[in-house]
Amino acid sequence: MKARQGYILLEVIVCTFIMSMLIMVLYSIIISAINTKDNIEDKIELNQQAEEMEYHIKNIVENSINIINITTTDNEVIETLQEDKTYNVLSIKLNFKSDDENINSKNKKDNQEISFKRDLKKIFINTLYDDNSNKAGGYEIGDYVESIKIKIESSKLICIIINLEKDKVTLEKEMKLFIKSNE
């Protein structure tokens, strides 16, 4: 018999096909792992954003005396909220009583507003001064917000629902909060 000196064309084609299949499998595994990592990072970030927003909103609402009004997504201002009705909101204005009554009345925070900027997908806390001055008093508390809803469960219990979305990952954060009484 004659000794073989090299590969034949068929062997090269089969080897190339097997190598290309292995490369495609490895590529799909790597892409899948990257997508999974990105989704997990997005979920973690949304959870962190939701926890930070809950901290700030809980602090404002639970130190408030009452809700002054809400502005719905239809730009309707509602002062008397119905129990067990859910409102999509752009802002929630709350009557906020300062712990320090000795503060100069020009600097005293009388009202707070939780404000949702749809175009920016962010939530802000704004200080509304009683003397209608134009002082800056707001700060951002969260990103990736798609919507805010409020539901009045009783005269002192409200439920705020925040929907967050980042790169097709969604999260809904529900907060049940008590408002201090006027007494």
Side-chain angles (χ1 to χ4, degrees):
M1 278 189 121
K2 195 171 168 187
R4 291 183 52 185
Q5 302 256 326
Y7 291 107
I8 60 172
L9 180 60
L10 183 59
E11 289 174 328
V12 171
I13 291 173
V14 169
C15 182
T16 305
F17 176 75
I18 291 172
M19 291 299 288
S20 65
M21 294 307 285
L22 284 174
I23 290 171
M24 285 176 31
V25 167
L26 288 174
Y27 178 76
S28 66
I29 290 171
I30 290 171
I31 293 299
S32 176
I34 289 171
N35 288 339
T36 302
K37 176 192 81 71
D38 290 343
N39 281 345
I40 290 170
E41 286 176 350
D42 290 344
K43 285 179 186 178
I44 290 170
E45 185 168 5
L46 288 179
N47 275 314
Q48 289 172 338
Q49 287 285 326
E51 291 299 318
E52 185 71 17
M53 285 184 264
E54 180 179 28
Y55 170 77
H56 288 284
I57 291 171
K58 183 177 182 179
N59 185 32
I60 297 292
V61 171
E62 290 188 345
N63 287 311
S64 299
I65 297 171
N66 61 355
I67 296 174
I68 298 168
N69 65 39
I70 65 168
T71 304
T72 66
T73 52
D74 300 328
N75 289 320
E76 179 184 356
V77 177
I78 301 173
E79 292 182 5
T80 305
L81 303 174
Q82 299 173 8
E83 285 188 22
D84 295 328
K85 183 174 179 183
T86 303
Y87 301 92
N88 288 318
V89 297
L90 294 177
S91 92
I92 304 168
K93 290 184 182 167
L94 300 148
N95 192 357
F96 184 86
K97 185 175 183 179
S98 177
D99 292 335
D100 187 359
E101 295 298 330
N102 297 323
I103 297 175
N104 183 340
S105 64
K106 289 184 180 176
N107 296 326
K108 184 177 156 187
K109 295 186 287 187
D110 288 342
N111 300 321
Q112 297 280 317
E113 176 186 37
I114 301 166
S115 174
F116 170 46
K117 306 293 184 203
R118 272 193 290 195
D119 53 336
L120 300 175
K121 294 187 173 190
K122 296 182 180 205
I123 295 180
F124 294 87
I125 299 292
N126 299 316
T127 301
L128 306 172
Y129 293 94
D130 199 26
D131 61 357
N132 294 324
S133 63
N134 291 327
K135 298 176 196 170
Y139 56 94
E140 176 188 335
I141 63 167
D143 288 321
Y144 312 116
V145 179
E146 287 296 315
S147 68
I148 300 177
K149 298 175 185 168
I150 186 170
K151 181 179 180 183
I152 308 301
E153 302 210 348
S154 72
S155 63
K156 298 298 172 193
L157 178 65
I158 65 170
C159 180
I160 296 178
I161 303 162
I162 300 175
N163 291 306
L164 306 165
E165 181 179 342
K166 181 180 181 197
D167 298 330
K168 298 180 183 175
V169 176
T170 60
L171 175 73
E172 181 174 281
K173 181 68 174 182
E174 183 175 313
M175 299 170 259
K176 293 195 184 245
L177 306 168
F178 288 96
I179 298 175
K180 285 184 180 179
S181 67
N182 275 338
E183 293 81 57

